[in-house]
Amino acid sequence: MPQMDQILSGTKAFQAPILARSLGQLATSFGGFFATCTAMYLCLAISLWITLPISVLAAGFLVRIFIIQHDCGHGSFFRSRRANELIGRLCSLMTLTPYAFWRRQHARHHGSWNNLDRRAASGLDIYSSCTTVAEYQALGRWRRCLVRLTNHPIVANLLLPPLVFVILYRVPFDAAKGWRRERRGVYLTNLALAVLMGGLGLALGYGRVAAVQLPIMVIASIVGVWLFSIQHRFEHARWMPDASWSFAAASLAGASYLRLPRLLQWFTGNIGLHHVHHVDPRIPNYRLEECHNADAGFQSASTLTLRTAFHALRYALWDSDLERLVPFRSAPAGKSISAAHQPASGD
């Protein structure tokens, strides 16, 4: 494992936001989103089937807006804390994600990812947590069925994401009692959304607003959750007990480098360079690639492509003997995964 002190000293050069690039990213992301939404509303007068394909493009811009919100939450998009707060809240009205509440939840993720003894600290997060083989085998039949159902790729990556963003984020779920500001932020976001969507509905018609905004949100939520999931749950993602957990190992062995085609990398705000982000969350998204290229230490991270990323969706259980994630079919109830991989006597 590369020396983390050496890597961290190198990342400091990339922490400073560049105002022109931040403003440019705001302009292209919001400008592209509003332009595609406008095109969808205009095309509705012709046909819904012409409108729906444009929602894919609009969803791409919305994912990019979420990455800006993500950077603001880390205080990395602008030098000014007030500017980060303002833009982060503006983004939240597009992504339907209450800014302060999500930021607090996400901070828990950065404090406990890939730590087997601190999984509870990440809250109700099935996308960057895991169940061990031993834990799974110790469950009763119905509990095992529930775990398999919630982790099934269709459920976890197609059905749950829209429910999380459209419905679950309307309430302060999984919030500690002391999160008063974050709870209040959820309800204030809901109020602002009611005013925004209500105004659009009065001006354009509620049916038209739903026909445009819902497909965009469904597609964007699926893409966003898929990105987050496969960058933490891939075959060779390393999980460690607290005694052996280290920042270096968790950063470079617990987060992947998702190498995307250049256009998709642009729409996803370079979040594929997730290992760099975990090493130093203060780096703006538009500087992650140059930071990655500047230090050979980052090359030790697991690299995924689009093809291997889709295969990674099946990995859900941590096997401490093999020290990798395995699919459910590799862990039949009542049998140890290691035993399942041992040759039978006499073979």
Side-chain angles (χ1 to χ4, degrees), residues 20-44:
R21 295 185 69 176
S22 293
L23 294 177
Q25 194 170 72
L26 274 175
T28 56
S29 302
F30 277 89
F33 181 68
F34 291 144
T36 49
C37 285
T38 300
M40 289 179 69
Y41 281 113
L42 293 174
C43 287
L44 269 180

Side-chain angles (χ1 to χ4, degrees), residues 203-217:
L204 303 174
Y206 291 104
R208 297 184 70 202
V209 171
V212 169
Q213 304 303 145
L214 274 179
I216 296 172
M217 195 65 232

Side-chain angles (χ1 to χ4, degrees), residues 186-236:
V186 171
Y187 299 123
L188 289 175
T189 300
N190 290 343
L191 179 61
L193 285 172
V195 172
L196 177 61
M197 295 301 174
L200 277 174
L202 287 173
L204 303 174
Y206 291 104
R208 297 184 70 202
V209 171
V212 169
Q213 304 303 145
L214 274 179
I216 296 172
M217 195 65 232
V218 167
I219 296 170
S221 64
I222 289 172
V223 172
V225 167
W226 173 75
L227 283 168
F228 185 68
S229 176
I230 55 95
Q231 292 189 301
H232 289 284
R233 293 176 60 174
F234 50 96
E235 182 177 10
H236 297 290

